[in-house]
Amino acid sequence: MISIIENDKKRKLFFLNTISTSLVVMVHEDNYVFLPYWGSRIEAIDIDYIIDGITEANYMADTDNRKKFQLEVIPQIYPSYGYTDLKEPAFHFVHKDGSRITDLRYKSHNIYKNKKKLEGLPTVLSEDDSEVLELVLFDDLKQVEVIITLAVFEKHNAITKSVKVINKNSADSLYIEKIASANMDIQDSNFEFLHLAGAWGRECHIKRRKLEQGMQSIGSARGASGHGQNPFAALISPNTDENNGEVYAMNFVYSGNFTASAEVDMHLNTRFQMGINSFDFGWTLMPNEEFQTPEVVLVYSNKGLGEMSRTFHKLYQDCLMSRKYAYKERPILINSWESNYFDFNKESLLKLAEEGNKIGAELFVLDDGWFGKRDDDKSSLGDWTPNEKKLGGSLSNLIDEVNKKGISFGLWVEPEMVSPDSDLFRKHPEWAIQVKNRKIETSRHQYVLDLSNPEVCEYIVNFMTELLSKNNISYIKWDMNRNITNMGSSYLSPERQKEQAHRYMLGLYSVLEKIVNAFPNVLFESCAGGGGRCDAGMLYYMPQVWTSDDTDAIERLAIQYGASLIYPSISLACHISDIPNHQTHRKERIETRANVASWGNLGLELNLNKISEEDKKVISEKLELYKSIRSTVQFGSLYRLKGLDAGNEYAWLYKSIDEKTIVVTYVQINVRPNLVTKRLRLQGLDAKSQYKVNDSSKIYTGEELMNIGLLLGEILEDALSYQWIIKKIS
Ligand code: DGJ
């Protein structure tokens, strides 16, 4: 809900209130726009004393020669460079005359319900739960308009923020060097900086460290959001855990280069920003052109990380993912990658599909290696013609035969890439990202196509349209297996080369928009060597992501824990794989592999024809069980019970929407000698209700389960896990 108060000093206070949070924006009588408050919900009252009460700082410039009016120490909504704030600005424009100062002042505002989609960009949207404040700021001298869009999702406890720049100067161009999507100034610095870091195979590990005076930042300049840092950051009060502490979180609805930073200034205030990475970024706006940034989701929680996560999950499931799939139980798939890699023929594929169906899988996915002459990763990306010799006939024929085994069919593609050894590259070498006369570096023997070129985007739309129109494909895994080096475009003019990374994303989003809309019955899963592009931008187009190429159940615990801070379980694909694990050579019992995969959107990735009958039996039982709890895991609320310390134990709990089914899973990584039994205390139950645990005859109260807990029993084995299905009976 947005309400406005105007006081006798002619200051306007906009209260952006959600059920339990408030963000307050103030238009000062000098038309500067300040940010006096972000935190727990407060009713709309005159709080301009927050700004007036800021005392004078020494050695700071005075705005308009007025004492006690120093922009640098006042929390601002979108700070500029050049006048009395010398901290990191939210944006940096270079004007035609070479000057770099922009003086943005409030011009007008607009409030409306039902947020509009950001053109060409993924957007959090809700028809019945969004109200928008557009603040129009203007620089009179240079005729530049900046519109800050704040959308309040009241029932979802979240706010989105984005920025549009319009060059209203009819004579001069404007050069954008930096443009953050969100700037939040907070009058405190007693925080830890929390983010999700890692690498290929070990994405999304939680990192936290104390903020100190100076700049802390994370980001990506890899052409994708990347394995290294997820586009998420939070400032948390010291000792914040799953249930306690203040959390100020930002998540970027974008899949390309980004930065998130926290600058603690000399006066121990914090400037928290997120946006497109300004490294190797630059954008020319000709007269009357505009630039829209992607948006950032802002979530505040005063009940720790658990509440923050449940807020993100619900928001993304209700307002970001495609309506069609958000609350549709996802099929259990069996993927051919770790089962066969490139080594398959029609017979082995059909055998895998048949075994998959017998064991309970619902979708058979043919991964890499089905096209061109691709028997390894050295060729053929770009030549999307099915290899009929390998498939034993046409692709549609194979699909028919798979379907006859009682299972639907999905396919792997990597449309943004081209192999040097491909007909596509031989025909269009200029389509690969490269700098003329310089070598092009390969990664996994492949180049990246220049999606800043509309012709390249059209080619992708065309081949995907043909593939999906001619074949009965119900799922696509859209992969992207390298980062972008030797950035350069033969399509863009020399002055516009620094636009390439963002134009690549705009091109990709336009391609995805066309394809997912044209084929609404196809379920898309995004992948970039696992979680190299696991972000809210991709989630808008593709409602699930391959969380990591690391399928080891123990390694997965930290990865899934971290990813679950933001992304709902329905979106996180988690597969049961073979032992010794292909990434770590570790061997865990099948029950633990299945239990860990049931944290998210469960699938299979192993050769069913090579495993023991006993393991097959367990898998079959686990799939049957998963189907019975799938709606709880995929639509319910997550409570993480253990694992924030990345220690020896992990446990998590899902509660169904109707609160009647509770699924609890516990994993201990290393066995410890001589330990007596411990209990696992649950969360999120109704204290006074009664619960039945598995088939036990004892009835527990919610109070008991939350305060005393479930008995864990003896854990005398590495990587041992337990799972309990708990039913509320009254
Ligand atoms: C990387 C993916 O993450 C894997 O699951 C698999 O699809 C391979 N690419 C195929 O090349």
Side-chain angles (χ1 to χ4, degrees):
M1 194 184 82
I2 300 176
S3 50
I4 316 176
I5 289 187
E6 189 152 359
N7 71 12
D8 50 9
K9 289 188 205 136
K10 296 258 167 300
R11 294 177 181 178
K12 282 190 219 21
L13 288 145
F14 295 90
F15 279 75
L16 281 63
N17 279 6
T18 69
I19 289 177
S20 49
T21 71
S22 291
L23 179 72
V24 185
V25 176
M26 185 180 111
V27 178
H28 188 262
E29 61 271 24
D30 292 304
N31 287 328
Y32 288 110
V33 186
F34 298 141
L35 201 66
Y37 182 77
W38 181 23
S40 297
R41 185 183 161 115
I42 51 172
E43 293 312 314
I45 42 159
D46 187 0
I47 55 162
D48 77 347
Y49 59 83
I50 293 179
I51 302 300
D52 286 343
I54 295 172
T55 51
E56 191 183 344
N58 285 338
Y59 219 83
M60 291 279 123
D62 301 321
T63 311
D64 300 335
N65 291 322
R66 273 186 286 157
K67 292 281 171 205
K68 276 186 67 182
F69 196 48
Q70 302 163 321
L71 292 180
E72 183 155 333
V73 290
I74 303 178
Q76 297 179 70
I77 193 158
Y78 208 60
S80 324
Y81 166 76
Y83 285 112
T84 67
D85 184 340
L86 295 172
K87 295 193 293 194
E88 180 68 26
F91 67 97
H92 200 216
F93 298 158
V94 181
H95 302 284
K96 194 71 205 225
D97 60 6
S99 70
R100 282 101 53 222
I101 293 178
T102 308
D103 187 8
L104 292 179
R105 304 289 178 109
Y106 167 85
K107 187 167 103 179
S108 62
H109 72 268
N110 186 15
I111 294 178
Y112 55 87
K113 292 225 191 291
N114 196 356
K115 182 182 171 193
K116 297 176 207 139
K117 166 139 180 14
L118 300 180
E119 207 180 312
L121 289 165
T123 314
V124 180
L125 291 168
S126 168
E127 275 173 29
D128 55 3
D129 186 33
S130 61
E131 192 172 9
V132 179
L133 167 64
E134 277 179 5
L135 285 162
V136 182
L137 313 184
F138 202 67
D139 179 294
D140 282 333
L141 185 68
K142 294 296 178 190
Q143 301 283 295
V144 180
E145 188 166 285
V146 168
I147 302 175
I148 297 176
T149 302
L150 288 153
V152 184
F153 295 79
E154 184 180 3
K155 292 185 211 123
H156 287 87
N157 262 329
I159 291 176
T160 57
K161 188 170 182 182
S162 71
V163 171
K164 183 190 270 187
V165 185
I166 308 171
N167 181 10
K168 296 219 159 165
N169 190 320
S170 54
D172 294 341
S173 61
L174 174 76
Y175 189 68
I176 305 173
E177 280 195 343
K178 166 177 179 168
I179 178 114
S181 295
N183 179 92
M184 304 301 282
D185 283 358
I186 303 173
Q187 290 177 288
D188 196 356
S189 64
N190 189 19
F191 295 122
E192 291 174 26
F193 187 70
L194 182 143
H195 59 111
L196 300 172
W200 175 89
R202 49 183 166 82
E203 301 87 339
C204 284
H205 284 236
I206 295 176
K207 302 282 169 202
R208 54 198 285 182
R209 59 180 169 276
K210 196 175 168 337
L211 278 191
E212 294 291 355
Q213 185 175 333
M215 183 66 96
Q216 329 253 311
S217 76
I218 56 159
S220 163
R222 320 185 71 84
S225 47
H227 297 91
Q229 300 283 356
N230 201 269
F232 158 77
L235 304 184
I236 59 175
S237 55
N239 305 319
T240 289
D241 59 22
E242 286 288 349
N243 300 306
N244 307 288
E246 276 194 295
V247 180
Y248 298 86
M250 289 198 193
N251 189 215
F252 207 14
V253 188
Y254 189 61
S255 317
N257 295 345
F258 75 95
T259 326
S261 65
E263 181 186 14
V264 176
D265 67 17
M266 293 186 267
H267 306 97
L268 306 183
N269 293 320
T270 309
R271 175 159 287 170
F272 190 21
Q273 288 184 355
M274 185 173 267
I276 292 175
N277 195 337
S278 47
F279 172 74
D280 202 32
F281 169 83
W283 199 278
T284 304
L285 276 189
M286 299 310 284
N288 301 317
E289 279 185 355
E290 55 187 53
F291 181 88
Q292 171 65 57
T293 71
E295 65 184 9
V296 165
V297 178
L298 305 170
V299 168
Y300 168 82
S301 151
N302 61 8
K303 293 194 191 76
L305 296 166
E307 182 175 90
M308 175 203 76
S309 298
R310 289 185 289 277
T311 300
F312 275 116
H313 296 169
K314 182 100 179 69
L315 180 78
Y316 287 172
Q317 219 157 338
D318 288 355
C319 311
L320 181 71
M321 270 182 205
S322 127
R323 291 288 78 82
K324 190 174 161 95
Y325 292 101
Y327 289 93
K328 187 168 176 186
E329 290 185 18
R330 304 292 167 78
I332 295 176
L333 63 80
I334 174 153
N335 181 298
S336 67
W337 184 241
E338 287 196 6
S339 163
N340 290 71
Y341 294 101
F342 293 103
D343 181 17
F344 55 79
N345 55 30
K346 182 176 180 179
E347 205 194 340
S348 59
L349 294 178
L350 289 177
K351 230 168 148 223
L352 189 61
E354 187 174 342
E355 284 303 304
N357 173 51
K358 272 196 215 151
I359 214 165
E362 298 150 321
L363 167 68
F364 171 76
V365 177
L366 173 53
D367 209 283
D368 199 351
W370 58 268
F371 53 92
K373 54 177 171 111
R374 194 163 164 94
D375 287 326
D376 54 34
D377 59 13
K378 294 195 179 61
S379 80
S380 303
L381 294 169
D383 299 344
W384 298 103
T385 314
N387 180 342
E388 298 199 349
K389 202 164 150 224
K390 204 168 173 183
L391 302 182
S394 70
L395 178 63
S396 53
N397 215 331
L398 175 76
I399 298 175
D400 280 349
E401 296 200 34
V402 167
N403 291 159
K404 277 190 203 133
K405 306 270 174 205
I407 191 163
S408 54
F409 183 89
L411 195 63
W412 176 97
V413 287
E414 195 178 4
E416 299 156 69
M417 298 292 150
V418 63
S419 305
D421 181 7
S422 67
D423 292 342
L424 182 70
F425 185 69
R426 284 182 278 274
K427 190 167 166 207
H428 283 296
E430 78 288 2
W431 281 5
I433 290 182
Q434 64 195 284
V435 175
K436 203 167 169 205
N437 298 326
R438 291 194 184 274
K439 61 181 176 170
I440 322 179
E441 302 290 10
T442 53
S443 174
R444 209 193 188 211
H445 314 283
Q446 62 199 55
Y447 300 150
V448 187
L449 288 171
D450 181 8
L451 270 72
S452 72
N453 180 348
E455 226 188 321
V456 174
C457 295
E458 199 184 317
Y459 138 83
I460 296 177
V461 172
N462 289 344
F463 91 72
M464 284 300 296
T465 304
E466 191 178 326
L467 189 64
L468 291 171
S469 320
K470 284 196 175 152
N471 299 290
N472 186 21
I473 294 171
S474 59
Y475 158 105
I476 284 286
K477 176 174 173 188
W478 185 295
D479 207 348
M480 195 260 188
N481 278 304
R482 63 162 291 179
N483 290 141
I484 308 179
T485 56
N486 38 268
M487 195 56 121
S489 169
S490 53
Y491 170 75
L492 295 172
S493 63
E495 318 72 60
R496 291 198 177 263
Q497 290 291 315
K498 281 184 153 196
E499 298 178 9
Q500 190 183 8
H502 182 56
R503 286 191 183 276
Y504 181 100
M505 289 318 310
L506 294 177
L508 175 61
Y509 288 151
S510 74
V511 165
L512 291 173
E513 183 93 35
K514 284 184 190 138
I515 295 171
V516 302
N517 286 337
F519 298 95
N521 296 329
V522 177
L523 171 64
F524 285 84
E525 177 167 320
S526 79
C527 174
R533 215 164 44 185
C534 171
D535 56 63
M538 280 295 137
L539 216 53
Y540 175 81
Y541 302 98
M542 307 199 234
Q544 58 190 58
V545 57
W546 178 223
T547 316
S548 176
D549 270 354
D550 191 340
T551 57
D552 176 292
I554 293 303
E555 288 292 308
R556 274 285 182 140
L557 292 167
I559 296 170
Q560 291 170 192
Y561 197 113
S564 81
L565 282 194
I566 314 297
Y567 309 107
S569 71
I570 192 169
S571 67
L572 300 175
C574 304
H575 296 177
I576 303 171
S577 61
D578 207 353
I579 50 168
N581 177 267
H582 293 195
Q583 288 76 39
T584 61
H585 305 284
R586 205 185 260 133
K587 296 179 186 171
E588 301 103 355
R589 57 161 65 224
I590 188 65
E591 289 84 354
T592 297
R593 283 177 275 150
N595 288 343
V596 173
S598 74
W599 185 320
N601 181 337
L602 180 142
L604 300 171
E605 180 132 0
L606 74 178
N607 195 336
L608 292 171
N609 298 305
K610 289 196 179 148
I611 64 171
S612 68
E613 284 307 314
E614 298 87 78
D615 279 5
K616 263 198 213 170
K617 188 166 170 283
V618 177
I619 295 179
S620 161
E621 286 162 8
K622 286 286 181 185
L623 296 198
E624 208 181 314
L625 176 73
Y626 185 76
K627 285 175 189 167
S628 72
I629 57 169
R630 177 161 48 184
S631 62
T632 301
V633 173
Q634 299 191 354
F635 314 148
S637 310
L638 170 67
Y639 294 80
R640 288 173 299 248
L641 309 175
K642 280 181 184 287
L644 183 59
D645 59 354
N648 196 32
E649 298 171 299
Y650 281 78
W652 58 100
L653 175 158
Y654 279 104
K655 178 169 75 172
S656 63
I657 294 182
D658 66 7
E659 306 196 350
K660 287 186 178 150
T661 305
I662 313 287
V663 181
V664 183
T665 312
Y666 171 90
V667 184
Q668 177 176 285
I669 299 175
N670 292 314
V671 65
R672 291 275 153 83
N674 194 20
L675 264 191
V676 292
T677 308
K678 294 283 173 289
R679 289 196 183 81
L680 178 66
R681 286 157 71 164
L682 309 189
Q683 292 170 27
L685 309 190
D686 175 40
K688 297 294 164 220
S689 293
Q690 296 195 309
Y691 294 88
K692 187 171 161 49
V693 179
N694 290 344
D695 297 327
S696 132
S697 53
K698 174 165 166 45
I699 303 300
Y700 296 83
T701 62
E703 209 165 53
E704 265 180 288
L705 290 172
M706 289 194 289
N707 294 308
I708 301 171
L710 292 169
L711 201 59
L712 285 174
E714 274 191 322
I715 308 174
L716 292 176
E717 191 181 306
D718 283 346
L720 198 66
S721 66
Y722 293 117
Q723 192 161 62
W724 298 267
I725 312 297
I726 302 176
K727 293 280 179 191
K728 185 171 166 182
I729 52 173
S730 68

